[in-house]
Amino acid sequence: IKDAYESQERFIQDAAHELRNPLAAMTAALQQTTPEQRKNPLLKTFMRQTRRLVHINEDLLFLERRANKKIENVSISELLEDGIEELQPLAHKRAITLNLSTEPHIHKTMSASDYVRMVKNIIDNAIKYSPDSSTVTISQKIVKNEIIITVADKGIGIPTKDLQTIGERFYRASNTGTIDGTGLGLAIVQKILNIYGGSKSIESAQNKGTTVTLTLPA
């Protein structure tokens, strides 16, 4: 079993690394097209799908990578504010309000990039599956010896039958329809939580919304 797992892991790592170069070449070629050419529907589809492939490949590389050893004491209060600022344009396009409440000066010994990737995945999902002109509420606080991060939306929710399986690689809830996604976001979040001894819980009701709670040791 161990040999089979390691063989699968090596294959995914090798395949993802090999895909990097052709994907980079495709991206570079697309960047050389003119604004007029980019109006072509076929080229627009090609550009969109190339971006999606790059994103999937980077996610796979992250999932198969060993634990990040570059850890330091970072202000996750500031990192959360920075992450939300980066996601504001995405929310603004659909008139979604990102309502943040975080205690100041919360510090955690971890990789800054791991923290940002984790919270951005959760907030991005909340935006993606929320209706236009709604609100996504994000809070971060310390309770006893734990850091509690909560992201709540009023979106499409997750069907009860999917709650047990959500978070497995490439699995997407049955009601996501044509909404773009890879099914890797929550798997990445879970990997990061595992590295730092954290956990997650999801409460959801279809057509009413979802609340994701992440817990990390303070």
Side-chain angles (χ1 to χ4, degrees):
I1 291 171
K2 183 173 180 289
D3 288 345
Y5 176 80
E6 288 178 351
S7 176
Q8 181 190 36
E9 190 177 55
R10 282 195 303 273
F11 170 76
I12 294 173
Q13 287 176 335
D14 291 346
H17 279 289
E18 287 298 320
L19 284 169
R20 256 185 164 176
N21 287 336
L23 286 171
M26 289 163 62
T27 302
L30 289 168
Q31 287 172 346
Q32 292 174 19
T33 57
T34 65
E36 191 61 34
Q37 289 173 324
R38 290 172 200 160
K39 293 178 183 177
N40 184 298
L42 188 60
L43 188 59
K44 286 169 72 174
T45 299
F46 187 51
M47 292 175 74
R48 185 174 65 252
Q49 294 302 332
T50 300
R51 285 195 298 268
R52 186 166 184 266
L53 280 172
V54 170
H55 184 62
I56 291 172
N57 201 54
E58 291 304 313
D59 282 350
L60 284 171
L61 282 168
F62 179 85
L63 282 168
E64 297 307 322
R65 193 181 70 204
R66 299 296 180 184
N68 193 334
K69 299 299 181 185
K70 295 179 180 177
I71 62 172
E72 56 186 337
N73 188 266
V74 292
S75 169
I76 59 173
S77 298
E78 293 178 4
L79 288 176
L80 181 56
E81 290 173 357
D82 291 345
I84 287 175
E85 191 173 322
E86 289 179 33
L87 290 169
Q88 282 290 1
L90 183 65
H92 182 72
K93 280 183 182 177
R94 302 191 27 236
I96 292 173
T97 301
L98 301 181
N99 187 1
L100 170 65
S101 169
T102 179
E103 290 181 8
H105 314 303
I106 301 178
H107 284 74
K108 171 74 180 163
T109 302
M110 68 184 300
S111 160
S113 61
D114 281 354
Y115 174 83
V116 171
R117 184 186 283 264
M118 178 181 71
V119 294
K120 282 180 70 176
N121 264 312
I122 298 297
I123 300 167
D124 180 73
N125 274 351
I127 295 169
K128 190 186 298 180
Y129 298 113
S130 288
D132 294 352
S133 304
S134 62
T135 299
V136 173
T137 303
I138 306 109
S139 72
Q140 181 171 250
K141 58 187 177 180
I142 292 182
V143 179
K144 296 182 179 178
N145 294 317
E146 294 181 325
I147 297 164
I148 310 293
I149 305 158
T150 305
V151 180
D153 65 59
K154 299 187 185 329
I156 63 173
I158 303 167
T160 304
K161 65 183 179 67
D162 294 326
L163 277 171
Q164 295 299 319
T165 322
I166 206 80
E168 292 184 6
R169 294 184 189 188
F170 296 110
Y171 185 85
R172 302 189 70 206
S174 54
N175 62 334
T176 54
T178 58
I179 300 172
D180 196 29
T182 65
L184 290 173
L186 283 177
I188 286 173
V189 170
Q190 189 60 60
K191 173 174 179 172
I192 294 170
L193 289 169
N194 290 344
I195 290 170
Y196 299 102
S199 62
K200 79 172 187 299
S201 65
I202 301 174
E203 295 179 8
S204 190
Q206 202 166 354
N207 299 317
K208 291 184 178 179
T210 300
T211 299
V212 178
T213 303
L214 310 179
T215 303
L216 288 165

